[in-house]
Amino acid sequence: MLALLTIVAFFINVSLGSVYIPFQEVASGLLTGATEKTAWNLILFEYRIPKAITAITAGGGLAISGLLMQTVFRNPLAGPFVLGLSSGASLGVALLILGAGAFGGIFGMLLGNSWSLVIAAALGSFLVLIAVLAMTIKVKDTMAILIIGLMFGSVTAAVVGVLSYFSSAEQLQQYIFWSLGSLGNQSWTGIFILVSCFIAGLIIALATSKSLNALLLGENYAKSMGINIKKQTLFIIIATSILAGSITAFAGPIAFVGLAVPHLTRQIIKSSNHLVLIPAVTLMGAILLLVCDTIAQIPFSEYSLPINAITSIIGAPVVIWLLIRKRKLLF
Amino acid sequence: MASEKSHTRITVQDVSIGYTSKKKEIIIAEKINFSSTKGELIALVGPNGIGKSTLIRTLTGIEKPISGSIKVSEVEIKSLSPAALASQISVVLTETPASKNLTVYELIALGRQPYTNWLGVLTQEDKTAVNNAIAITETTDLQHKKCFELSDGELQRVLIARALAQDTPIIILDEPTSHLDLYHRAYVLKLLKRLTKTEGKTILFSTHEIGIALTLVDKMLVLQKDTVSFDTPTALAKQGVFNTLFPSNTIDFDIETMQFRVNN
């Protein structure tokens, strides 16, 4: 049922935009690859469909990484944004874009290559995740972990501030546009990279689902059931960093999807089995981001809003509503 | 099974337990020796802070012993892979499940993890084992409830059911009776007793419930500041082990009634 909804949301998303294209034409375009006007063709295949695919992978991927982190940290408030993963990815990108000004040389040569952007972002989030995880071994308190995540966010912001002071206006503009978050303007090559990262992350996540289920009981129970915690945690971290990193690299930091979608999914799916939950959150995330993107374009108008603003406007109330209704977030 | 009867299920020889902090070994208890065969119920007792939990964590392989040997079914646990150990020992810990959103059935089914494939899919055999564990622990009515809806007593039964579903010869429990009222304490201990007799499990549990334990268990492992004793309750009473367990100006042991008394 969720899969069907995703297709519907995809269709609606592709159909709506600043330029009006009749539904039949969109349908024939999607099925046969041709529409009545070449302009419509161009809009559909070079703009709207890549954007919709980005929305699906970004929404799904962020939702998976949120789910994995909530289980690994055994904390309902965990998510790529909250724990500073997105900040880490931002730092990686900032070093790449802005660092080109500050350091020059090799960094400049790497610019413009979308793989380098992905690698920088994935490395950034991987390092932050490792750091946060290392601290969770020392600090068991979940509140402290969240605060550590927030601190990473501020450190990143500070480093970005320092870097931007030394970089040119052009680079700064490039970075700021990136940080506002956007699903559009992706080349098909970019989409290919994003989708391959997404599939890799999804497969690793599914392969760790048995260990994730065991971790629902806690680390010691998982150990007693024969799970190799260190190895499995590493795999989970790798999956999370690939997903969160690549998505952040392409679409900028997108807030709340990773945190809110797993909780929304748990309202619908009455199962704690990650083998069921992972596909479910993927679809939910995809639907949510498609809807958010449709709203962001403000159908039939010429304006479009940054996607990050929309996810926050929708996401924050959802989390608050869940908290008020259940008084306690469960995972 | 004649061959299994002669084998010991768990053998602990000269084990010292403790932890290493800043490259210094801190020994909590040493010279722990005991062994157990099929169908025995063993209570681990001793005052607070003597190392009961550490011993349990060491026996279950969560922590390593500082020295000595621990064998399960005649095999050194050090040499067992985590998966192999998981098919020998199952545990019930004091910590509550991290996720309260699990249903009782899901939680119990997690006990089948050592036997399921890499995706954790339950086979018919696994489902039979889970349903069996549910029936034995009388948790049938609870199976569709979520963990946060359970009382402490119910949760304890569910956790025991999970250990049962893991289908191991040995079950080790850390303070299964804490937070429970008198009825549930007796219920849980009687359930453990039943499991040793009808299912042939070897069960070791730590407890402060020495009173009930004395009447139910086959053997007792008593940790004290300088000594570790292991024997049947009556033999331990004769040796006077219980008299020194607590300061005698507060608590006395009466060997006639096998009961502890508070001195006023």
Side-chain angles (χ1 to χ4, degrees):
Chain A
M1 205 212 37
L2 280 174
L4 204 72
L5 262 177
T6 316
I7 295 167
V8 172
F10 175 80
F11 188 71
I12 293 173
N13 180 277
V14 172
S15 309
L16 298 176
S18 310
V19 177
Y20 172 75
I21 303 175
F23 281 112
Q24 301 98 301
E25 287 302 315
V26 175
S28 81
L30 284 173
L31 293 173
T32 62
T35 49
E36 220 169 275
K37 293 183 188 170
T38 33
W40 288 353
N41 248 341
L42 204 68
I43 291 171
L44 266 185
F45 289 101
E46 292 306 314
Y47 187 70
R48 287 192 191 168
I49 292 176
K51 187 160 65 71
I53 294 176
T54 315
I56 290 173
T57 41
L62 286 174
I64 298 174
S65 65
L67 176 71
L68 298 192
M69 297 184 74
Q70 286 171 10
T71 305
V72 168
F73 286 93
R74 289 171 283 283
N75 188 330
L77 284 178
F81 206 76
V82 183
L83 283 178
L85 236 74
S86 304
S87 321
S90 305
L91 185 63
V93 172
L95 279 175
L96 194 70
I97 298 180
L98 304 176
F103 306 112
I106 331 162
F107 278 115
M109 278 167 56
L110 289 167
L111 254 182
N113 182 344
S114 20
W115 274 111
S116 62
L117 207 63
V118 173
I119 293 167
L123 269 181
S125 53
F126 184 76
L127 287 179
V128 168
L129 195 50
I130 292 276
V132 173
L133 207 72
M135 285 176 202
T136 55
I137 296 169
K138 292 256 172 204
V139 192
K140 294 280 178 203
D141 184 26
T142 47
M143 279 314 282
I145 295 163
L146 294 181
I147 293 168
I148 289 171
L150 281 176
M151 290 302 112
F152 268 108
S154 350
V155 170
T156 325
V159 174
V160 170
V162 171
L163 280 174
S164 59
Y165 187 76
F166 289 106
S167 43
S168 68
E170 201 179 304
Q171 286 164 331
L172 199 60
Q173 195 187 26
Q174 197 186 352
Y175 177 77
I176 285 173
F177 269 119
W178 173 84
S179 68
L180 281 175
S182 159
L183 298 171
N185 296 331
Q186 309 292 356
S187 66
W188 279 106
T189 340
I191 301 267
F192 172 74
I193 298 174
L194 186 60
V195 171
S196 17
C197 287
F198 169 74
I199 290 172
L202 178 66
I203 289 172
I204 302 176
L206 282 173
T208 53
S209 60
K210 183 175 168 179
S211 318
L212 286 165
N213 288 337
L215 278 172
L216 287 177
L217 284 182
E219 213 165 282
N220 286 331
Y221 273 115
K223 250 188 201 171
S224 83
M225 291 188 292
I227 301 291
N228 187 338
I229 301 281
K230 274 190 190 149
K231 196 172 115 194
Q232 294 298 323
T233 313
L234 185 67
F235 275 123
I236 297 168
I237 292 176
I238 289 174
T240 319
S241 325
I242 292 178
L243 288 169
S246 64
I247 292 160
T248 314
F250 280 103
I254 296 175
F256 284 104
V257 175
L259 171 62
V261 170
H263 289 294
L264 282 173
T265 313
R266 287 192 196 96
Q267 301 292 312
I268 304 170
I269 307 272
K270 298 286 174 229
S271 168
S272 295
N273 186 353
H274 284 78
L275 205 54
V276 179
L277 274 180
I278 290 173
V281 296
T282 312
L283 295 176
M284 274 294 279
I287 294 168
L288 190 80
L289 209 54
L290 280 172
V291 171
C292 282
D293 180 56
T294 314
I295 298 170
Q297 295 162 35
I298 317 178
F300 311 114
S301 83
E302 283 169 34
Y303 301 101
S304 66
L305 301 168
I307 186 73
N308 205 357
I310 304 295
T311 54
S312 297
I313 288 171
I314 294 179
V318 163
V319 173
I320 293 170
W321 171 71
L322 281 172
L323 273 169
I324 290 171
R325 218 189 60 152
K326 300 198 105 176
R327 263 176 285 153
K328 218 173 155 190
L329 279 179
L330 296 162
F331 73 103
Chain B
M1 279 186 272
S3 65
E4 208 189 321
K5 229 175 187 176
S6 60
H7 282 203
T8 51
R9 281 276 176 80
I10 186 162
T11 316
V12 172
Q13 276 175 334
D14 278 332
V15 164
S16 302
I17 52 166
Y19 51 90
T20 7
S21 117
K22 290 177 187 152
K23 289 182 184 158
K24 230 176 93 184
E25 282 180 351
I26 295 166
I27 291 174
I28 298 174
E30 53 188 347
K31 299 216 174 85
I32 302 170
N33 286 290
F34 72 93
S35 70
S36 168
T37 51
K38 187 180 173 179
E40 273 188 322
L41 182 63
I42 305 163
L44 168 60
V45 297
N48 277 333
I50 200 78
K52 292 190 298 295
S53 286
T54 313
L55 179 59
I56 293 235
R57 292 162 64 84
T58 312
L59 290 177
T60 52
I62 294 171
E63 271 166 35
K64 290 190 177 69
I66 299 219
S67 65
S69 111
I70 302 171
K71 285 182 186 162
V72 205
S73 302
E74 318 253 296
V75 187
E76 198 66 48
I77 62 166
K78 268 182 285 188
S79 64
L80 286 172
S81 70
L85 187 61
S87 60
Q88 288 295 327
I89 299 180
S90 55
V91 297
V92 175
L93 303 166
T94 42
E95 55 195 80
T96 53
S99 165
K100 303 270 184 295
N101 210 28
L102 280 166
T103 66
V104 166
Y105 187 88
E106 281 175 326
L107 195 158
I108 297 173
L110 281 177
R112 297 304 297 170
Q113 281 229 345
Y115 310 101
T116 53
N117 64 4
W118 64 283
L119 282 176
V121 180
L122 295 177
T123 62
Q124 201 50 51
E125 194 190 333
D126 293 322
K127 285 178 188 157
T128 317
V130 171
N131 288 330
N132 192 25
I134 289 175
I136 295 172
T137 51
E138 297 168 351
T139 44
T140 318
D141 299 339
L142 306 175
Q143 57 178 314
H144 300 298
K145 279 197 178 181
K146 298 220 169 204
C147 282
F148 65 87
E149 297 168 324
L150 302 179
S151 71
D152 286 339
E154 289 169 335
L155 183 62
Q156 201 56 258
R157 254 151 70 197
V158 169
L159 289 171
I160 293 171
R162 190 209 62 81
L164 262 183
Q166 204 172 325
D167 198 16
T168 55
I170 304 160
I171 302 179
I172 294 180
L173 306 94
D174 194 4
E175 301 202 11
T177 52
S178 54
H179 306 300
L180 303 185
D181 62 32
L182 184 62
Y183 163 70
H184 282 98
R185 275 179 276 175
Y187 178 91
V188 165
L189 294 185
K190 278 184 76 178
L191 172 65
L192 295 180
K193 176 81 180 173
R194 187 149 51 87
L195 293 177
T196 59
K197 296 300 162 243
T198 59
E199 310 292 312
K201 303 277 183 197
T202 299
I203 298 181
L204 183 141
F205 65 100
S206 65
T207 186
H208 288 293
E209 214 46 62
I210 310 184
I212 309 180
L214 275 171
T215 61
L216 275 176
V217 301
D218 302 306
K219 297 268 177 67
M220 260 189 173
L221 182 64
V222 186
L223 292 191
Q224 279 177 288
K225 202 147 185 276
D226 305 308
T227 54
V228 178
S229 334
F230 179 73
D231 216 324
T232 59
T234 24
L236 287 171
K238 277 183 195 147
Q239 290 162 29
V241 170
F242 298 124
N243 302 334
T244 55
L245 195 54
F246 301 110
S248 56
N249 54 4
T250 324
I251 291 174
D252 259 342
F253 181 71
D254 180 30
I255 194 158
E256 295 293 318
T257 53
M258 291 284 277
Q259 271 175 348
F260 287 90
R261 266 196 325 230
V262 179
N263 275 348
N264 350 315

